[in-house]
Amino acid sequence: SNISIPNFRATGTPAYGMFFRDVSNLHLGNVELVLTYGLGIRVDNHGNNRALRVTNLRIDDAYVEGASKHGVETYGVDGVAIGRVVARDVQYSGLIINDSVNCEVGLIDGDNVAADTGYAVFRMANRSGRIADDYPANIHIERVIARGGGRGVFCTSESGGAVIDYVDIEDTDNECILVENCYSVVIGNSGEQSRVVNSGELRIAARDEFANSRDISILNIAMSLTSVHESPCADGNSGFLNVETSGTYDVCGL
């Protein structure tokens, strides 16, 4: 506990650039990982008792290039504060949060991330944002930028309680945004219009093994050469507001 690493740089083919398990009060300052293999940074609670979460993780600035897995991954963390994650040519996610709550992230910037995989520049999964069987707003992402690669934003597997203020997504081969079996998610804001250009569809979806998506709000996004699709219809107070596209627009409630 009470670990601080102000500066760290690594190159080569490590299994992990940095790996921390069952820690508390961890601060990573400026991290630069230029890799040809492995996972950039992983922080998890997979030791003796996974009922106990890691607490208080702070990362100021992480640059990850060439990882064959995720750029930055949390699993079982309560209290995440990240200034910026920059991912370049990363095969899985730029930033992925699993089973984590109370997260604040400034910028996630990915170029050629998650190509030909089911991951995304930003992915939240495995009940991230779930607190005492509910989804209060506790995950806040200021900005997601995606260029090329696979998906831009992906929320899945009973995650939620998330607000993503702004997205700027271009030329993703897979869905620009996929919300699948998630709850209480807001993407976009009324003050600044997000943009999506020439990317895979914006999709709200659900798999049978989890409860249907609900309370999903997508707002103020200008889209070009990109389709919007909702199936099945999300439950609760869900909808699209000021989402404009030159592609196909197939959503519920219209």
Side-chain angles (χ1 to χ4, degrees):
S1 64
N2 301 314
I3 302 163
S4 180
I5 302 175
N7 297 284
F8 183 85
R9 185 177 191 273
T11 63
T13 59
Y16 299 91
M18 306 182 84
F19 182 21
F20 303 89
R21 172 162 290 170
D22 294 343
V23 297
S24 62
N25 301 321
L26 170 64
H27 171 221
L28 305 178
N30 297 307
V31 178
E32 181 182 5
L33 302 173
V34 180
L35 311 176
T36 55
Y37 180 79
L39 193 153
I41 303 169
R42 178 178 167 109
V43 181
D44 72 33
N45 68 335
H46 290 190
N48 293 326
N49 185 358
R50 288 182 60 176
L52 299 177
R53 284 193 169 111
V54 168
T55 55
N56 299 329
L57 165 67
R58 180 159 65 97
I59 302 173
D60 296 338
D61 193 289
Y63 176 88
V64 183
E65 178 182 322
S68 63
K69 295 186 179 177
H70 303 299
V72 178
E73 179 179 21
T74 72
Y75 213 127
V77 180
D78 183 352
V80 177
I82 298 176
R84 183 177 71 157
V85 173
V86 176
R88 296 291 183 264
D89 302 321
V90 168
Q91 290 188 24
Y92 288 5
S93 291
L95 172 65
I96 180 169
I97 59 174
N98 297 296
D99 186 29
S100 296
V101 297
N102 298 317
C103 304
E104 180 76 30
V105 181
L107 170 66
I108 311 161
D109 179 345
D111 191 320
N112 190 32
V113 170
D116 302 317
T117 74
Y119 292 107
V121 169
F122 171 60
R123 184 180 194 253
M124 52 185 295
N126 298 302
R127 294 186 171 179
S128 281
R130 177 167 167 155
I131 298 175
D133 296 327
D134 199 4
Y135 294 88
N138 69 97
I139 294 177
H140 178 218
I141 313 296
E142 292 182 11
R143 305 177 81 82
V144 177
I145 297 174
R147 294 291 183 270
R151 292 176 172 133
V153 173
F154 185 17
C155 179
T156 188
S157 55
E158 299 184 304
S159 297
V163 176
I164 301 174
D165 294 334
Y166 175 86
V167 297
D168 182 346
I169 300 171
E170 192 168 335
D171 295 330
T172 60
D173 289 335
N174 214 330
E175 291 96 347
C176 59
I177 298 170
L178 174 57
V179 179
E180 178 184 76
N181 303 104
C182 286
Y183 319 107
S184 299
V185 174
V186 178
I187 300 177
N189 73 92
S190 60
E192 181 179 16
Q193 189 171 55
S194 295
R195 66 184 291 271
V196 176
V197 177
N198 191 37
S199 295
E201 65 182 7
L202 189 165
R203 185 158 68 101
I204 297 178
R207 302 199 308 267
D208 292 339
E209 60 262 45
F210 302 120
N212 190 28
S213 297
R214 68 174 182 272
D215 301 326
I216 309 300
S217 297
I218 311 292
L219 62 145
N220 201 21
I221 303 179
M223 306 179 67
S224 176
L225 303 174
T226 303
S227 297
V228 181
H229 184 58
E230 179 183 5
S231 180
C233 298
D235 294 331
N237 186 21
S238 297
F240 297 80
L241 177 64
N242 194 25
V243 176
E244 305 167 352
T245 182
S246 60
T248 302
Y249 200 74
D250 179 15
V251 304
C252 304
L254 293 181

